[in-house]
Amino acid sequence: MKKIVFTSLCLLALTACSQGQAEKGKTATTSSQSTSHVKKEKEEKVRTKTFATDLSDHYQNKIQIGYKKDEIVSFTFLSFEPISPDSQKMDLAELKELYQEELEHSDIYKALNDKPGLSFRIQISNDKQAYAKVLQADFSKIKKDEFATIYGDQGEEETAEFKKYLNGKPQDFFTYLENQGLKEEK
């Protein structure tokens, strides 16, 4: 009887050990899968580059490009203008409401606001010295060619060139923007 109990205990112990090894293997596999998933997420993370041009006293345009590896995924245009000293006395919420209302009455807003993939907003600087009209294009919701046609009232040749670079590799588009006189912000 003692031999049967001893043998049963040994078999139980061996079974427990083998299950532990199986769980270790499962954990190692899950861990390596998790690590490769995190690596893919890091590779696919959207990065941005910003390019700017000064137009005149306190007026500035900026373009922010969102990209992954070899693909441009978003385009944001910011047009900065100064806020008058009288208006600077207002709080941020009032200023935002004032300029948002002004934006909503503009022709471009009326023409493009309902287009999928395009959004408009107002951005006020914390010091209330300037505000920006912001147009953002999300290329998962709007085609790049459609956006390029909408974006500017450029000539046919300029629009074709813009489309070409927008559909190309991010680095080529960055060079295109620099050739247009914009400087990369670091």
Side-chain angles (χ1 to χ4, degrees), residues 133-147:
K133 296 174 188 169
V134 182
L135 166 64
Q136 185 165 18
D138 176 353
F139 295 130
S140 68
K141 298 176 183 169
I142 186 171
K143 292 181 181 177
K144 292 176 186 175
D145 287 347
E146 182 181 2
F147 174 74

Side-chain angles (χ1 to χ4, degrees), residues 3-118:
K3 285 184 180 179
I4 294 174
V5 172
F6 180 71
T7 306
S8 296
L9 284 174
C10 287
L11 284 173
L12 199 63
L14 286 173
T15 305
C17 286
S18 68
Q19 283 179 341
Q21 291 297 328
E23 288 300 315
K24 269 188 184 176
K26 209 184 251 185
T27 303
T29 303
T30 305
S31 177
S32 69
Q33 287 173 345
S34 175
T35 303
S36 79
H37 182 70
V38 169
K39 283 181 184 177
K40 283 182 183 178
E41 282 183 7
K42 282 184 181 179
E43 290 173 7
E44 294 177 10
K45 183 179 178 184
V46 175
R47 296 179 176 171
T48 59
K49 279 198 181 196
T50 303
F51 296 85
T53 183
D54 292 325
L55 303 173
S56 63
D57 261 356
H58 307 290
Y59 288 86
Q60 183 183 50
N61 286 341
K62 289 186 181 185
I63 294 175
Q64 292 177 335
I65 306 301
Y67 65 100
K68 293 180 186 180
K69 288 185 185 180
D70 290 339
E71 180 185 13
I72 297 170
V73 296
S74 67
F75 182 102
T76 305
F77 179 77
L78 301 97
S79 177
F80 290 90
E81 297 181 25
I83 295 175
S84 71
D86 289 342
S87 295
Q88 290 175 13
K89 295 173 187 170
M90 300 167 74
D91 70 14
L92 285 174
E94 290 175 315
L95 281 171
K96 191 170 185 175
E97 185 179 324
L98 173 75
Y99 288 113
Q100 184 68 35
E101 189 175 306
E102 180 183 299
L103 175 65
E104 289 173 7
H105 285 90
S106 70
D107 291 338
I108 192 161
Y109 182 88
K110 289 176 184 174
L112 301 177
N113 186 47
D114 293 331
K115 278 231 177 270
L118 294 181

